[in-house]
Amino acid sequence: MKNIFKLWLLAASLLTTSAMAQVSKIPADTRLYLQKVETSNNKARSLGRTAVTQKEAKLFVSCAPDADTKAIETRLKAIGAHPQGTIGRYIMVSTPASVVDQIAAIEGVTYISKGPSVSQKTLVSREVTGVSKVQAGTNPLPQAFTGKGVVVGIIDGGFDFSHPAFKDAEGNLRIKAYYTPGMTTKEGDTPVVTLDGTELAGKVYTTPEDILKEESDNMNESHGSHCAATAAGATFDCAGGMAPEADLILCAYTKTDKEDVGDQVYFMGYNVMQSILYIRDYAKRVGKPYVISMSLNSQEGPHDGTSFVSDMLNQMALEGTNMTLAASNEGGDDCYINHTLAANDTLHTIINGRNGIQASGFTRIPGEISFQIGICDKATQTELWRSEPLRSENGGCSFNLGYGETYAAETSTDQYEDIKSHLGSVLTNAITQFSVGKLEDGRSKMQYIVLGNMPENHYFVLHIACSENNIVDLWGDNGTSYEAKEGSDYYTAGNSSISLGDWCTGGNIITVGSWVSKPSITNINSETVSSNFEVGDGTGSYSPFSSYGTDLAGHNHPFVSTPGSLIISAVNHYDPTFSLEGAQSNRVVEMAPDGYAWGVMSGTSMATPTAAGIIALWLQAKPTLTYEEIKETIIATSNTDEFTEATPIRFGHGKMDAYKGLLHILGITTSIPALSKHQPEGVTFRVNGGQIFIDGAEDGTPIHIYSINGRLAASAQLVNGSVCLPADSPAGVYAVQVGNLGSTLIRK
């Protein structure tokens, strides 16, 4: 089946140009987004706001494979649109909604799309990954590698810029820039200009005073603070980042002006791509190596590497952009359905969600699709109502319906009054979005989103039909699952076999899964806190929420795994949920007298910055390290054990090991063949001049000390817990073999 699908992908790429001509360049969901932009601007005008504050649409413009993107950029500027970066055949454009039809008419433009929805992937690390033996602070082994001179970029939300985790020992802010692509620029703002002259979206703050003045991008969220401190936070008694001396660039992918909040879902994917360009450009500007951590993903896409975001990320990876990406958190959900339709066949499934509903579906070959929404009574398991079919032909359709005081209806026509009234009977405070249309290559897509309060006594059901022998793939995001009735084969249940996010699927990016490094933690009230996700799984196993699988282009995910369950890190001190009186106060593990807190979170969101921080350590050791060399190092040095061998698809190449990776990068594993490839358990080291103190090994243990080029510098037995390097030994890094217990690195 995999080979057949690869042949189809090849054929589809050859037929792309002809298929594009038959597909509307502006799909229905993009047109709905443009209507929302215009509605918002009309409202702003009615309130007397100036033209400078008018919002522009943020769009991805696809160009034909052989098109001249530079020439298209020039045409875009001529009609009043603003190109904000080109990756491969995709141009990111900020534009007045009124000129989008003119953009579609430009020769070489094949498709115009809004961004996909995005979700954060949250639900001891330094010890089990070998980081504590590599960085300075609690252990100087080797003390040179703390991420110093390396840029770590975090794309997230919920940053606390003043948290002590982001300051050095002298109290200086280590955040070198804060970039927020979602902010609307005002007259007089300094443009965010890259080295090649591209003007990116939004605003940037580059002085400590300006950054600290912003306080936080989101005072009700802590995800970004937790991830940033996991990757590169300063070391404290309760926690510490992987690269505590790295430079931090924080990018708030959700930050908007107040009047823009309702449109965040439409351009968060756009903001992520703008943030990658900013971090990459900043690192090049200051001449430092860099790594970008994205604890984000989306199930919205065909999962075969052809969506514009997965394709753009893949292109950047091929060009050497160092990135880590969360595999996603649907590994424990029945979030995936694959169904081949027979003649006159319909796929039926019950759809449920912990956090609302986010469902999307795609056909594997060009053709029409239709879907119907229904309401099912939970108690009787009977379907009470079913809508008329929503179809992808003739450009498809897309609309929003709001219920309750919080949300207002965005679109309402006679065609959908039936849907509006029936959903209104079970939804009290929510907004729903429906979309059906075509991908750029002629395949059909559908999307169903419910944000807000879910009905208590009802399920939603989906009924999907397409042409005979076509294949439909459905994915649910952020806790959405597909269910069947017990004892009945009418409804199709989902599974987690392809639970990875669509952004993973280009094939070249480092995708990160999570494993369990500890089963519980003790909070500030001396209470034991364990995660429900880990019930029944022992320490060392994969985290049940961690997404995995072979995508539809044949790539296995995750690429590698790091700890992501019950990770302790900094949280936003503005966030009320992590105050001592807050809803998650049981997850606070330490509170400083000035109100700054450290808390626990779980998810591939936590595993991803762990991997990025380890890569930062490697980049400090070898700043010229390429992305391909980083991946080769992961493959060569990740740990395998009974857990990884039992379920290899859950772990990728294994459990990432900072120390073994460092040995590999410095060439010590080849220059010193006798050196153990593991660190000694229960042994600690301290260096004072040329004297090396080794605690935890018995006197008389043979000690061999090598320079990193493989020369034997000293050979002795441990006496009174120490050995000495020769007085004439130059300063630098040395490898120490402790009997048959293992080896480590020290710096004289």
Side-chain angles (χ1 to χ4, degrees), residues 150 218 223 296 370 380 418 461 583 601 625 654 716 723:
V150 179
N218 185 342
H223 192 271
L296 311 162
S370 70
T380 64
D418 182 52
V461 294
M601 292 185 183
L625 198 65
V723 293

Side-chain angles (χ1 to χ4, degrees), residues 32 36 39 43 262-263 266 399-412 420 428-433 451:
L32 178 61
K36 287 175 63 66
T39 299
K43 181 179 179 181
D263 294 331
Y266 286 98
F399 64 99
N400 285 5
L401 295 173
Y403 305 92
E405 296 179 0
T406 302
Y407 303 102
E410 300 288 352
T411 302
S412 181
K420 180 180 178 182
T428 57
N429 190 23
I431 190 168
T432 61
Q433 178 177 310
L451 302 174

Side-chain angles (χ1 to χ4, degrees), residues 332-667:
D333 297 332
D334 295 325
C335 65
Y336 173 63
I337 288 178
N338 164 249
H339 187 81
T340 302
L341 282 94
N344 302 314
D345 188 14
T346 301
L347 167 64
H348 314 277
T349 187
I350 297 171
I351 184 169
N352 204 0
R354 294 191 304 270
N355 307 296
I357 286 174
Q358 296 182 50
S360 55
F362 303 85
T363 60
R364 290 206 189 178
I365 59 176
E368 307 301 336
I369 191 173
S370 70
F371 77 99
Q372 298 167 275
I373 305 104
I375 297 174
C376 181
D377 183 271
K378 285 185 179 180
T380 64
Q381 294 285 292
T382 57
E383 193 169 337
L384 306 177
W385 164 82
R386 187 182 300 188
S387 73
E388 291 297 316
L390 303 173
R391 304 182 186 278
S392 62
E393 61 257 33
N394 302 319
C397 63
S398 183
F399 64 99
N400 285 5
L401 295 173
Y403 305 92
E405 296 179 0
T406 302
Y407 303 102
E410 300 288 352
T411 302
S412 181
T413 67
D414 292 340
Q415 184 180 1
Y416 305 119
E417 285 301 322
D418 182 52
I419 294 176
K420 180 180 178 182
S421 64
H422 279 91
L423 293 186
S425 68
V426 297
L427 292 172
T428 57
N429 190 23
I431 190 168
T432 61
Q433 178 177 310
F434 305 85
S435 176
V436 61
K438 296 290 186 67
L439 297 174
E440 185 179 1
D441 59 11
R443 290 179 289 167
S444 286
K445 63 175 182 177
M446 56 74 60
Q447 186 177 49
Y448 179 32
I449 296 175
V450 180
L451 302 174
N453 294 342
M454 292 288 290
E456 294 184 3
N457 302 314
H458 300 84
Y459 291 122
F460 292 119
V461 294
L462 289 180
H463 308 276
I464 299 175
C466 61
S467 57
E468 182 180 357
N469 295 324
N470 208 335
I471 301 171
V472 173
D473 296 284
L474 293 182
W475 282 275
D477 204 349
N478 201 25
T480 298
S481 293
Y482 301 105
E483 303 174 3
K485 291 181 182 178
E486 188 174 350
S488 170
D489 59 1
Y490 180 76
Y491 292 103
T492 299
N495 59 65
S496 61
S497 62
I498 305 182
S499 53
L500 53 104
D502 175 72
W503 292 10
C504 301
T505 60
N508 287 289
I509 197 167
I510 295 171
T511 56
V512 185
S514 168
W515 63 275
V516 182
S517 59
K518 51 180 176 282
S520 63
I521 59 99
T522 302
N523 68 13
I524 198 169
N525 299 317
S526 300
E527 301 164 332
T528 299
V529 177
S530 59
S531 172
N532 292 332
F533 290 119
E534 279 75 62
V535 173
D537 293 280
T539 300
S541 71
Y542 63 82
S543 303
F545 56 74
S546 186
S547 289
Y548 67 99
T550 302
D551 66 35
L552 299 187
H555 311 117
N556 292 330
H557 303 277
F559 187 82
V560 72
S561 294
T562 66
S565 292
L566 297 176
I567 303 302
I568 297 171
S569 189
V571 293
N572 190 346
H573 86 284
Y574 296 104
D575 183 357
T577 60
F578 277 98
S579 69
L580 290 182
E581 298 79 27
Q584 296 184 31
S585 60
N586 66 322
R587 290 185 172 260
V588 175
V589 297
E590 185 168 315
M591 182 73 76
D594 52 5
Y596 292 97
W598 284 260
V600 63
M601 292 185 183
S602 296
T604 54
S605 279
M606 287 60 253
T608 301
T610 299
I614 291 172
I615 291 170
L617 300 176
W618 296 348
L619 287 168
Q620 184 189 3
K622 185 179 179 182
T624 59
L625 198 65
T626 68
Y627 197 42
E628 282 303 314
E629 289 172 335
I630 291 170
K631 290 190 286 185
E632 290 168 4
T633 298
I634 290 172
I635 294 170
T637 65
S638 291
N639 292 319
T640 57
D641 55 22
E642 66 271 26
F643 297 104
T644 65
E645 291 170 1
T647 51
I649 190 65
R650 289 281 196 161
F651 291 92
H653 291 288
K655 300 174 178 178
M656 200 169 178
D657 190 310
Y659 178 69
K660 288 172 67 177
L662 189 60
L663 293 177
H664 180 82
I665 289 164
L666 294 175

